[in-house]
């Protein structure tokens, strides 16, 4: 049974939507958006043409309608009941550009793939961006998650971030105002990042190339990058590696329905067939419970979980105790 009704929501927005240049899709499949290829529908998806279009839309959207923004879905678990309200997905045309704007400075649109920044930096002899080469997300996702790898992270390179709030007001945030910490920003949850300026440093191209090759080779060896996955499932607790805690608790390869903790990298959850959002989230909570029983540590989700459960298929925190 459908939990969301996109046609009804669209109709409720009235004639104002006719002035929009972007695309509105009722009951949009989130399976097509997320790397897990699982989960329910977005009640109404909006793909703004550009920043002005986004601002126009937000000004006409009633305050009570929930709003969610997604990037390319490489860190998302969508629940099977779908995502109520509007899901904004930035269009590549309006938000996908990456350009050099001065010595060692790069501006990138929020839906630009991280890889493109890494490539542009290498082409122009700018160091400090090779870590982006291995992260499969978009710049918007990187700004929200403080994405990082191989000793580098977004907070080290970002100078300023441009964003639009829930009411359609434009903001420019400094790196300090982003309040970054490990895989986290203090920036208001209602902000949609539209583009950002980054700064690197002069570096020899051959050295950058070698770094990028090392990043790729490392990933191909230790991560299930060809699987339907959401990247690291849990954050590393202070002083611990999440994968080690999961391994020690006997959860490497653990399965629930179509979901499995990867045998290659056991902090990566994978959809091995037709996993539902329920299968994946339940498995994650089983792992949290087992790690807690084994090591007394409560793992924190790194993957963002969105939407609502199907009735009767709710997942509770730490569900799936070994004693159940
Ligand atoms: C194989 C694999 C390897 C990975 N390796 C790494 C890694 O090494 N390091 C790492 O940090 N991550 C890694 N990830 C996770 C993921 O790629 C990053 O978190 C990435 O930054 C998410 O970007 P996204 O565009 O996919 O965002 P999504 O998954 O779509 O969204 C993630 C969060 O960002 C928010 N968001 C997205 N766009 C915007 C925007 N424009 N404005 C405001 N908020 C926004 C969403 O609301 C959500 O909360 C990996 C994932 C996979 C599948």
């Amino acid at each position: 049974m459908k939990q969301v009704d996109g046609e009804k929501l669209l109709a409720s927005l009235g004639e104002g939507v006719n002035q929009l240049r972007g695309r509105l899709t009722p009951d949009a499949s989130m399976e097509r958006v997320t790397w897990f290829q699982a989960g329910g529908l977005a009640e109404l998806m909006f793909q703004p043409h550009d920043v002005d279009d986004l601002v126009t839309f937000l000004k006409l959207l009633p305050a009570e309608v929930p709003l969610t923004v997604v990037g390319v879905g490489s860190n998302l678990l969508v629940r099977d009941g779908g995502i109520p309200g509007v899901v904004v997905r930035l269009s590549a045309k309006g938000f996908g550009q990456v350009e050099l704007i001065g010595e060692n400075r790069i501006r990138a649109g929020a839906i630009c793939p991280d890889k493109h920044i890494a490539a542009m930096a290498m082409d122009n002899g700018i160091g400090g961006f090779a870590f982006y080469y291995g992260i499969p997300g978009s710049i918007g996702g990187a700004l929200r998650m403080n994405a990082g790898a191989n000793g580098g992270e977004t907070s080290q390179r970002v100078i300023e971030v441009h964003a639009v709030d829930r009411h359609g007001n434009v903001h420019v945030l400094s790196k300090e105002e982003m309040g970054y910490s490990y895989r986290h920003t203090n920036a208001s949850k209602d902000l949609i990042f539209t583009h950002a300026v980054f700064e690197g440093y002069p570096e020899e191209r051959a050295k950058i190339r070698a770094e990028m090759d090392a990043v790729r080779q490392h990933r191909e060896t230790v991560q299930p990058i060809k699987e339907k996955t959401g990247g690291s499932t849990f954050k590393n607790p202070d002083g611990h590696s999440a994968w080690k805690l999961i391994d020690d608790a006997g959860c490497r390869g653990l399965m629930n329905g179509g979901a499995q903790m990867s045998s290659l990298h056991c902090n990566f959850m994978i959809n091995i067939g037709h996993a539902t959002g329920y299968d994946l989230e339940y498995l994650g909570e089983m792992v949290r419970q087992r790690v807690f029983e084994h090591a007394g540590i409560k793992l924190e989700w790194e993957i963002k979980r969105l939407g609502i459960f199907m009735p009767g298929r709710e997942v509770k925190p730490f569900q799936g105790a070994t004693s159940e």
Side-chain angles (χ1 to χ4, degrees), residues 30-39 72-74 76-78 229:
M30 287 302 294
E31 267 185 32
R32 293 210 189 139
V33 174
T34 62
W35 271 58
F36 274 129
Q37 294 179 30
V72 297
S74 63
L76 292 183
L77 197 170
V78 176
T229 180

Side-chain angles (χ1 to χ4, degrees), residues 1 54 71 109 181 238 271 300:
M1 201 186 67
L54 177 60
S181 54
D238 275 347
N271 174 359
E300 207 184 306

Side-chain angles (χ1 to χ4, degrees), residues 69 71-76 136 138 140-142 144 147-148 191 193 219 231 304:
V69 57
V72 297
S74 63
N75 215 203
L76 292 183
S138 67
R144 176 57 70 192
L191 290 177
F193 305 130
R219 280 187 184 256
K304 299 284 183 192

Side-chain angles (χ1 to χ4, degrees), residues 48-217:
H49 185 78
D50 54 23
V51 176
D52 290 344
D53 202 34
L54 177 60
V55 166
T56 305
F57 177 75
L58 292 170
K59 284 188 189 294
L60 68 81
L61 189 68
E64 66 276 13
V65 179
L67 182 77
T68 307
V69 57
V70 299
V72 297
S74 63
N75 215 203
L76 292 183
L77 197 170
V78 176
R79 293 175 173 140
D80 303 314
I83 307 177
V86 171
V87 170
V88 168
R89 193 168 186 224
L90 303 178
S91 64
K93 202 167 177 203
F95 302 86
Q97 298 80 0
V98 53
E99 57 184 330
L100 197 63
I101 55 163
E103 215 176 318
N104 301 317
R105 285 205 172 186
I106 295 173
R107 177 166 50 213
I111 204 70
C112 164
D114 296 351
K115 252 186 176 186
H116 289 191
I117 273 218
M120 160 140 303
M122 193 205 55
D123 287 347
N124 291 281
I126 305 174
F129 292 94
F131 72 95
Y132 271 146
Y133 195 56
I135 304 179
S138 67
I139 286 303
L143 292 168
R144 176 57 70 192
M145 303 299 298
N146 190 14
N150 308 86
E153 63 177 27
T154 301
S155 65
Q156 297 164 352
R157 302 272 68 92
V158 77
I159 299 287
E160 65 181 32
V161 178
H162 293 240
V164 181
D165 68 21
R166 179 67 180 73
H167 308 288
N169 304 306
V170 173
H171 299 260
V172 182
L173 291 91
S174 65
K175 172 188 164 152
E176 289 70 33
E177 286 168 321
M178 290 298 285
Y180 276 122
S181 54
Y182 170 58
R183 301 292 174 266
H184 179 77
T185 168
N186 285 334
S188 170
K189 286 197 171 61
D190 88 334
L191 290 177
I192 298 179
F193 305 130
T194 53
H195 64 276
V197 176
F198 299 85
E199 189 171 56
Y201 48 84
E203 183 71 279
E204 276 176 33
R205 272 182 227 167
K207 188 158 181 248
I208 304 174
R209 181 77 260 173
E211 268 180 66
M212 283 161 70
D213 286 347
V215 164
R216 184 177 44 78
Q217 272 163 19

